[in-house]
Amino acid sequence: MPNHRIYINISYFCAMETQRQKKIGGVIQKDIADILQRAATDGGLKGTLISVSKVSVTTDLSIAKIYVSIFPATKGKELLEGIKSNQPMIKHELAQRTRHQLRRVPELLFFLDDSLEYIDGIEKSLKGEENPVKNPDLLEKRKKS
């Protein structure tokens, strides 16, 4: 039987981030949070809090996954669609802010971070307000994105 070599495609998003990835992720996180919050207040969305909970950058620094947390959560999906539709303008603003730190701004992919809602659902069930043992449909299944 011949010797077969198996090549495994290494994922772009490594479990262990390099110092460079962490540094660029931190710079992007700070600036994107400022850009989004400023856009929300200028757009007349008073009382809406937008925060960037996490930024993951690929090993080749070409893609940045940005997890956005929005309060109140009822406006989350609507605002995320607005953010995605304005992605080129956000990327341009980020490029202006980071022109001395980054040569090339990575492609920005925005995702809604629903971890606070999930934690709230768990706390309600632990307090006894809603019992997931009696009604398992109360807690939604977590989706991997």
Side-chain angles (χ1 to χ4, degrees):
M1 182 159 183
N3 243 350
H4 292 286
R5 291 186 185 212
I6 299 173
Y7 294 98
I8 299 172
N9 185 9
I10 298 175
S11 174
Y12 280 110
F13 296 97
C14 290
M16 297 292 295
E17 284 186 319
T18 63
Q19 284 300 111
R20 181 85 176 135
Q21 285 173 286
K22 289 178 185 177
K23 183 177 179 182
I24 290 173
V27 167
I28 291 172
Q29 182 175 6
K30 182 180 81 61
D31 287 333
I32 288 287
D34 188 41
I35 291 167
L36 293 178
Q37 191 61 46
R38 184 166 310 204
T41 54
D42 291 349
L45 294 173
K46 301 275 189 227
T48 302
L49 179 66
I50 300 175
S51 65
V52 177
S53 55
K54 183 180 177 187
V55 175
S56 297
V57 183
T58 58
T59 54
D60 63 354
L61 309 176
S62 65
I63 301 171
K65 287 175 100 177
I66 301 167
Y67 294 90
V68 180
S69 182
I70 299 171
F71 182 80
T74 55
K75 297 180 180 181
K77 292 197 187 297
E78 178 185 338
L79 284 176
L80 184 65
E81 290 305 315
I83 290 169
K84 286 180 179 180
S85 66
N86 290 317
Q87 190 263 353
M89 292 189 313
I90 294 170
K91 185 175 179 178
H92 177 72
E93 177 70 23
L94 181 64
Q96 296 298 315
R97 290 172 178 241
T98 61
R99 67 180 177 262
H100 298 297
Q101 295 152 316
L102 300 176
R103 274 189 202 153
R104 182 178 293 161
V105 176
E107 179 184 344
L108 306 177
L109 302 176
F110 291 95
F111 299 94
L112 191 60
D113 183 15
D114 63 343
S115 59
L116 292 177
E117 295 171 40
Y118 185 71
I119 291 169
D120 188 45
I122 291 173
E123 285 181 357
K124 283 182 182 177
S125 65
L126 290 175
K127 289 179 183 175
E129 296 172 14
E130 298 172 349
N131 190 345
V133 174
K134 293 179 183 173
N135 187 1
D137 296 329
L138 289 175
L139 289 177
E140 294 181 25
K141 302 262 190 265
R142 288 293 298 223
K143 299 176 283 218
K144 296 275 182 178
S145 56

